[in-house]
Amino acid sequence: MTSFTDSVALKSAVELRIADIIDRFGQPISLSKIVENIEDAPTPDIDLLHRIMRVLIRRKIFSAVQSENGETLYGLTRASKWILRDTKMTLAPMLLLENHPLHLNPTHYVSEIIREGTQNGTAFFKCHGHEQFDMTGLNPDYNRLFNDGMVCTARIVSKAVISGYKDGFNQIHSLVDVGGGIGGSLSEIVRAYPHINGINFDLSHVVSTAPKYDGITHVGGDMFVSIPNADAVYMKWILHDWSDQHCIKILKNCRKAIPEKSGKVIIVDHVLQPEGNGLFDDTGFAFDMMLLAHNAGGKERTEENWKWLFEQTGFPRYNIIKINALPSIIEAFPI
């Protein structure tokens, strides 16, 4: 009932850059020292910050030790590194995205769409008057917030993919990342496998803001119409955003884009375990709840759900590879 308060405390710490302040000193520091270094804080309230830190210490986001003079000193933990704002492996942008009012407010409409169905729009639409992916094209600030969140998770998941997929990319000479955003995932793959010619494929307004990467061509288009040809198709956290019928259209276009005998589709997405008690299983259900509010038909899928999609779209063979991240690698083959 009150789990949201943890997110409130964590978001506050990220916005105030508490972890970064402690990190700059290289050692645990006092609350007064933290307050002194908060930017744009003309009249900071140290008592309110103490209450936030008290929660985050219980959640092991920060540590607290007593100095010789009895003063409490606040330090970093293993979890703190994920909310450092200026590091490559930060989750701070994703945390700010998931806790932004644009993302949270649609959850108040979930019971309404359960009563009425989604034929008149998702909870996101009922809240904002636009569907989520339309909003990214209409609201530049939201588009930037969304892309930043996707890029930071792309770095982390791509590292797990590259480590866990081992030789999976070796025989691929051209790889199209469908729904690749501004190229975060693909850039990590091409950096690790420089022989790959990467095609970053997304909506035109998305790729128009993408930076240049060596070995990558940005292409604007619509995955429901056609997908650029390549040896293999890569999709990270794309299909879970869409209904089964939408996914069938996407996968059929993937089938057309790859070679008949040697092609494959590489899907990086969650495989929901209804009875699972693994490290990421609860998070999978949390993502499913967010998709319920944000997307028309979007959902996390069980292995049976994935198998059914492949059967409908001309992929008689598939393989699931677990990696050290929330999603798994799901390979789908046309023969």
Side-chain angles (χ1 to χ4, degrees):
M1 184 174 65
T2 59
S3 291
F4 73 94
T5 59
D6 288 345
S7 291
V8 171
L10 192 56
K11 181 187 179 187
S12 299
V14 170
E15 291 176 331
L16 295 169
R17 295 180 178 263
I18 302 301
D20 299 273
I21 292 170
I22 299 171
D23 187 59
R24 285 202 299 270
F25 281 86
Q27 62 184 12
I29 58 176
S30 66
L31 199 61
S32 59
K33 184 64 70 175
I34 293 173
V35 167
E36 288 173 12
N37 286 273
I38 296 176
E39 296 179 358
D40 302 319
T43 56
D45 192 314
I46 194 169
D47 292 328
L48 294 181
L49 180 59
H50 171 257
R51 290 160 66 182
I52 293 292
M53 295 299 286
R54 191 166 58 185
V55 172
L56 295 176
I57 288 166
R58 287 184 63 85
R59 298 294 178 259
K60 296 181 172 55
I61 303 298
F62 297 108
S63 64
V65 296
Q66 298 298 312
S67 67
E68 293 181 358
N69 64 6
E71 188 176 30
T72 301
L73 301 179
Y74 298 87
L76 303 180
T77 65
R78 291 179 62 187
S80 305
K81 68 177 181 178
W82 299 108
I83 59 170
L84 290 168
R85 295 290 295 275
D86 299 321
T87 63
K88 187 176 180 180
M89 300 301 285
T90 181
L91 276 173
M94 185 65 167
L95 187 143
L96 293 176
L97 169 66
E98 296 298 351
N99 288 277
H100 192 279
L102 281 169
H103 251 46
L104 287 179
N105 289 348
T107 61
H108 298 291
Y109 294 79
V110 167
S111 59
E112 189 173 333
I113 64 167
I114 289 173
R115 290 190 182 99
E116 301 176 1
T118 57
Q119 60 270 18
N120 295 320
T122 62
F124 195 97
F125 181 87
K126 288 184 177 293
C127 181
H128 298 303
H130 301 283
E131 294 294 3
Q132 183 183 35
F133 293 121
D134 294 330
M135 181 72 84
T136 61
L138 296 169
N139 186 325
D141 290 337
Y142 179 61
N143 187 49
R144 184 165 50 253
L145 183 74
F146 187 88
N147 286 336
D148 287 348
M150 295 302 103
V151 167
C152 83
T153 56
R155 292 193 186 108
I156 293 165
V157 173
S158 295
K159 183 177 180 180
V161 168
I162 291 167
S163 174
Y165 202 30
K166 304 200 182 289
D167 299 328
F169 292 111
N170 284 350
Q171 304 304 315
I172 296 172
H173 296 286
S174 59
L175 180 68
V176 57
D177 187 353
V178 174
I182 58 175
S185 291
L186 191 57
S187 68
E188 297 294 324
I189 294 170
V190 171
R191 185 177 296 112
Y193 297 88
H195 70 277
I196 292 178
N197 174 37
I199 304 167
N200 182 53
F201 181 68
D202 211 313
L203 297 171
S204 296
H205 74 265
V206 176
V207 298
S208 67
T209 65
K212 291 182 178 180
Y213 296 105
D214 290 338
I216 293 177
T217 302
H218 298 294
V219 177
D222 186 343
M223 63 186 173
F224 293 107
V225 176
S226 66
I227 290 169
N229 292 337
D231 293 339
V233 170
Y234 182 84
M235 289 186 287
K236 180 186 77 71
W237 275 339
I238 300 300
L239 297 181
H240 77 168
D241 287 329
W242 299 97
S243 70
D244 289 342
Q245 293 308 309
H246 284 102
C247 288
I248 287 172
K249 290 181 181 179
I250 297 168
L251 285 169
K252 284 184 175 179
N253 285 336
C254 290
R255 182 77 165 72
K256 296 175 184 177
I258 59 175
E260 177 72 25
K261 294 183 178 180
S262 59
K264 62 180 173 179
V265 177
I266 305 163
I267 300 165
V268 179
D269 229 318
H270 191 61
V271 180
L272 200 66
Q273 303 287 339
E275 306 299 328
N277 57 2
L279 180 62
F280 298 108
D281 287 332
D282 278 350
T283 309
F285 285 99
F287 268 64
D288 188 57
M289 287 298 298
M290 288 187 284
L291 291 166
L292 185 152
H294 294 164
N295 303 88
K299 59 185 176 182
E300 301 295 358
R301 291 177 168 87
T302 64
E303 180 174 352
E304 290 74 19
N305 297 148
W306 286 112
K307 181 180 179 181
W308 182 85
L309 281 179
F310 298 145
E311 289 173 346
Q312 303 304 306
T313 52
F315 294 96
R317 188 164 58 91
Y318 71 93
N319 183 39
I320 296 174
I321 304 169
K322 291 187 176 181
I323 58 175
N324 190 29
L326 171 63
S328 296
I329 296 170
I330 311 166
E331 299 175 303
F333 303 95
I335 58 173

